[in-house]
């Protein structure tokens, strides 16, 4: 800085400093299966995403949003500031269930459009035929750190069949299946395997895994996020 040198006869070099901000990518599943439950899994996912966005932006970090089913349907690029908070809130309040689930191509599509580092918080029921691993790996390859938030409906957790009934696929109403009480055990076993796979994936990365039930109140939902290390309690 030659003006300071001329005044003080001292050599001073101005060095710019970049403030480090965490980039939070909120990825919310809006597939048809997210419409299940009272309140629906999608309503719960939107409330949690809104809370995470508000926390990130209040900390002067950067937050963005993408909603997906078979592909990315709505995209709000990561930004900071109060205007971004209002924009994300408006988008999340307007969410409705979309098409059937295909998380792998959707997450891969998003990963191809961004570059890390950053935190990719995937909020989903993860109920898709191809499983969640490939889509999460695509986010990793883009330099993002995946965080898994699994949303389950209380009705799914407490499913019980006492007699023979016909089930209709929530994502494809044409597909039906006649089941009896014996199917209940296999259903719950598959749900446990899915949850365990998600836990293990997150543990392998050393990142948070959060399980949220639709029947849980908002305070409980935030408490789960704190316990998992996704949020920090202060005061």
């Amino acid at each position: 800085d030659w003006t300071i040198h001329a005044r003080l006869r001292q050599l001073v070099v101005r060095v710019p400093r970049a403030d480090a901000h965490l980039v939070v990518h909120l990825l919310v599943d809006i597939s048809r299966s997210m419409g299940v439950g009272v309140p629906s899994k999608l309503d719960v996912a939107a409330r949690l995403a809104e809370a995470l966005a508000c926390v990130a932006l209040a900390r002067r970090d950067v937050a963005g949003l993408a909603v997906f089913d078979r592909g990315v349907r709505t995209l709000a690029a990561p930004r900071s500031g109060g205007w971004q908070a209002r924009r994300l809130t408006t988008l999340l309040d307007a969410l409705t269930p979309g098409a059937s689930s295909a998380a792998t191509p959707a997450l891969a599509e998003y990963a191809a459009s961004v570059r890390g580092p950053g935190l990719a918080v995937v909020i989903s029921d993860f109920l898709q035929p191809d499983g969640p691993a490939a889509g999460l790996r695509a986010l990793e390859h883009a330099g993002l750190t995946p965080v898994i938030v699994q949303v389950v409906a209380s009705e799914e957790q407490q499913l019980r069949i006492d007699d023979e009934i016909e089930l209709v696929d929530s994502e494809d109403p044409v597909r039906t299946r006649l089941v009896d009480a014996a199917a209940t055990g296999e259903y719950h076993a598959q749900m446990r395997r899915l949850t365990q796979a998600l836990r293990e994936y997150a543990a392998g990365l050393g990142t948070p895994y959060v399980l949220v039930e639709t029947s849980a109140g908002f305070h409980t939902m935030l408490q789960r996020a704190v316990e998992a290390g996704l949020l920090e309690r202060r005061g």
Side-chain angles (χ1 to χ4, degrees):
D1 189 317
W2 295 109
T3 59
I4 295 179
H5 179 268
R7 188 170 68 251
L8 303 178
R9 313 306 296 177
Q10 293 179 355
L11 184 60
V12 176
V13 179
R14 291 185 180 272
V15 179
R17 183 182 66 186
D19 294 327
H21 293 287
L22 177 65
V23 180
V24 180
H25 303 259
L26 298 167
L27 308 176
V28 179
D29 182 359
I30 62 165
S31 60
R32 288 177 188 164
S33 65
M34 292 292 286
V36 173
V38 180
S40 72
K41 290 182 283 187
L42 183 54
D43 287 341
V44 171
R47 291 184 68 197
L48 182 56
E50 186 174 342
L52 294 175
C54 288
V55 169
L57 294 170
R59 288 170 51 92
R60 300 185 185 279
D61 288 328
V62 178
L65 172 68
V67 300
F68 67 91
D69 44 32
R70 301 191 65 82
V72 176
R73 301 307 179 195
T74 301
L75 178 62
R79 297 284 187 274
S80 61
W83 182 86
Q84 180 74 343
R86 292 189 292 274
R87 182 188 185 197
L88 297 186
T89 296
T90 299
L91 291 173
L92 289 166
D93 287 346
L95 293 185
T96 57
S100 57
S101 300
T104 294
L107 295 180
E109 176 187 346
Y110 184 78
S113 69
V114 299
R115 183 170 298 177
L119 203 64
V121 184
V122 185
I123 308 176
S124 171
D125 57 11
F126 294 95
L127 297 177
Q128 53 265 329
D130 56 355
L136 296 172
R137 283 197 296 268
L139 297 174
E140 285 188 77
H141 293 158
L144 302 177
T145 301
V147 171
I148 297 171
V149 180
Q150 183 186 10
V151 184
V152 296
S154 302
E155 294 85 346
E156 294 171 333
Q157 293 288 80
Q158 301 165 7
L159 178 66
R160 182 177 177 179
I161 299 173
D162 296 320
D163 200 357
E164 190 174 73
I165 63 172
E166 185 179 47
L167 296 181
V168 179
D169 190 328
S170 63
E171 298 202 343
D172 185 1
V174 176
R175 295 180 59 188
T176 63
R177 182 180 178 183
L178 198 65
V179 298
D180 55 20
T184 307
E186 177 58 26
Y187 165 80
H188 287 295
Q190 288 191 26
M191 289 293 288
R192 286 193 297 270
R193 286 194 290 269
L194 173 61
T195 297
Q196 184 61 27
L198 293 170
R199 287 185 188 275
E200 291 176 355
Y201 192 98
L205 293 177
T207 60
Y209 162 82
V210 185
L211 176 64
V212 175
E213 294 184 23
T214 55
S215 61
F218 188 64
H219 180 269
T220 301
M221 184 167 56
L222 294 182
Q223 180 63 31
R224 296 274 175 83
V226 170
E227 292 171 354
L230 180 55
L231 291 174
E232 180 182 78
R233 183 190 299 278
R234 291 186 178 180

